[in-house]
Amino acid sequence: MSVYRSVVWFTKGLREDTKSGYESASKDFVPYDLEVQVPGIVFLVTGGNSGIGKATALEITKRDGTVHLVCRDQARAEDARGEIIRESGNQNIFLHIVDLSDPKKIWKFVENFKQEHKLHVLINNAGCMVNKRELTEDGLEKNATNTLGVYILTTGPIPVLEKEHDPRVITVSSGGMLVQKLNTNDLQCERTAFDGTTVYAQNKRQQVVLTERWAQGHPAIHFSSMHPGWADTSGVRHAMLGFHARFRDRLRSEAQGADRVLWLALSSAAAAQPSSRFFQDRKPVSTHLPLTRTSSSPAEEETLIEILEQLAQTFK
């Protein structure tokens, strides 16, 4: 089954996880879950200059939170910051220009951030889907940085997070990962025919596995991953042309896509859920579809950790 067909099937199978699905699911939402104010709470949001990341940052600042945006493009980041300040009236939003495909720059940012700031909530939102195999200046396959970048950006600040009350890490994954079994044999996509959508889905499976392993190793932090629903973001428009053309009238808004990120980051109900879970529409769901045989062994998961740790230390 192709990833595209699997995504379509997944979309239909899980209550049409689009605009209508959100409207249906939202009838069961507890309204006061997000009726919170978070002054003094520090959030770090990657990919915050557009899409779900920007919508998330805006809603946090409306609730008086302090937000650090990690973005790649200075001009777009400045524009997003100005818009968020105008709409929220909150000046406590700070920019950090970091290319998350460059592990050396991520390490530098993490080390500086730990020295200068506290952190309560990390939101790993940024991601890329490159449809042909391209390498970074360091010789890394660009899509693979979805995993290595998240690995460094999450493991680096763990000592800072563990100092705070109710620390959380939310990783924005994708329902596409449900059709992928963890594969640690070709993280740089050198041995098989390259398909950007498949590689992206594999990256998202890796993120879910990492979330589960981090939750085991760091019980003081609440880790979660989630599928934001099929939202009409620039990433979907540019990287999934066929999917967007077929479903564009049914896709969720960016704000609807951000809802479950916000719920996981802000609500006490989310913190009451066990760490490590994968969420859709404010509910934990299985990380595997029936009959797909996508479960991985502890040994395979440990191999993923070992490979990423070795790679990460190479660039430190």
Side-chain angles (χ1 to χ4, degrees):
M1 183 183 293
S2 73
V3 170
Y4 174 73
R5 290 181 179 178
S6 298
V7 167
V8 173
W9 174 66
F10 170 70
T11 302
K12 292 180 178 178
L14 285 181
R15 300 171 62 191
E16 300 212 358
D17 196 14
T18 51
K19 186 188 302 179
S20 61
Y22 176 84
E23 292 167 353
S24 175
S26 65
K27 295 176 183 178
D28 297 326
F29 291 173
V30 178
Y32 57 78
D33 275 356
L34 292 180
E35 293 177 2
V36 297
Q37 293 296 309
V38 287
I41 305 301
V42 180
F43 300 79
L44 192 154
V45 182
T46 66
N49 63 339
S50 65
I52 289 172
K54 180 181 173 184
T56 298
L58 174 60
E59 292 302 318
I60 292 171
T61 55
K62 285 181 177 179
R63 292 163 173 81
D64 207 22
T66 296
V67 176
H68 293 266
L69 290 182
V70 176
C71 306
R72 183 175 55 183
D73 187 284
Q74 178 84 44
R76 293 178 64 197
E78 292 284 359
D79 289 344
R81 180 178 182 271
E83 184 178 337
I84 291 170
I85 289 174
R86 287 192 297 273
E87 291 193 33
S88 69
N90 184 347
Q91 297 282 335
N92 291 320
I93 181 163
F94 306 95
L95 296 182
H96 306 272
I97 306 306
V98 184
D99 184 349
L100 295 180
S101 70
D102 188 330
K104 293 188 293 292
K105 291 180 179 177
I106 302 173
W107 272 121
K108 182 178 179 180
F109 163 72
V110 167
E111 295 303 318
N112 289 340
F113 192 92
K114 289 194 298 184
Q115 297 298 319
E116 299 172 3
H117 305 283
K118 61 182 180 179
L119 180 63
H120 298 87
V121 181
L122 168 62
I123 299 174
N124 289 312
N125 167 73
C128 71
M129 184 191 296
V130 180
N131 287 314
K132 62 178 182 178
R133 189 173 188 271
E134 298 178 16
L135 301 181
T136 68
E137 292 181 0
D138 295 308
L140 300 172
E141 193 277 313
K142 285 189 176 179
N143 284 309
T145 62
N146 286 323
T147 304
L148 180 60
V150 167
Y151 181 84
I152 297 172
L153 196 59
T154 302
T155 56
I158 280 177
V160 178
L161 285 161
E162 289 179 328
K163 293 178 181 178
E164 304 299 336
H165 172 69
D166 191 21
R168 308 184 193 190
V169 175
I170 299 100
T171 297
V172 179
S173 182
S174 168
M177 69 90 191
L178 289 165
V179 299
Q180 286 288 309
K181 183 184 186 302
L182 177 66
N183 178 9
T184 60
N185 294 322
D186 191 21
L187 294 187
Q188 293 298 317
C189 309
E190 298 172 303
R191 304 172 190 167
T192 56
F194 189 88
D195 178 84
T197 306
T198 301
V199 173
Y200 179 82
Q202 175 63 213
N203 297 158
K204 294 303 179 178
R205 167 61 71 185
Q206 293 162 2
Q207 290 177 354
V208 169
V209 169
L210 289 173
T211 295
E212 294 169 344
R213 295 297 296 245
W214 287 328
Q216 295 173 16
H218 305 280
I221 302 172
H222 190 278
F223 289 90
S224 59
S225 58
M226 44 76 70
H227 171 49
W230 305 117
D232 193 0
T233 64
S234 60
V236 171
R237 289 192 293 272
H238 295 145
M240 300 178 70
L241 298 177
F243 180 84
H244 185 265
R246 181 169 181 175
F247 289 102
R248 59 188 173 191
D249 293 333
R250 296 163 57 190
L251 297 179
R252 299 181 178 198
S253 68
E254 293 169 347
Q256 289 173 335
D259 174 84
R260 66 191 72 173
V261 183
L262 291 163
W263 185 79
L264 288 166
L266 300 174
S267 74
S268 58
Q273 293 282 343
S275 186
S276 83
R277 303 299 297 274
F278 178 72
F279 288 83
Q280 288 184 286
D281 287 323
R282 304 191 187 184
K283 293 180 180 179
V285 297
S286 175
T287 56
H288 303 282
L289 293 174
L291 306 177
T292 54
R293 298 183 179 180
T294 53
S295 297
S296 50
S297 69
E300 289 171 318
E301 294 173 3
E302 186 60 33
T303 296
L304 175 66
I305 298 286
E306 291 172 354
I307 293 172
L308 291 174
E309 179 63 19
Q310 183 177 6
L311 266 176
Q313 292 301 320
T314 299
F315 297 103
K316 191 170 183 179

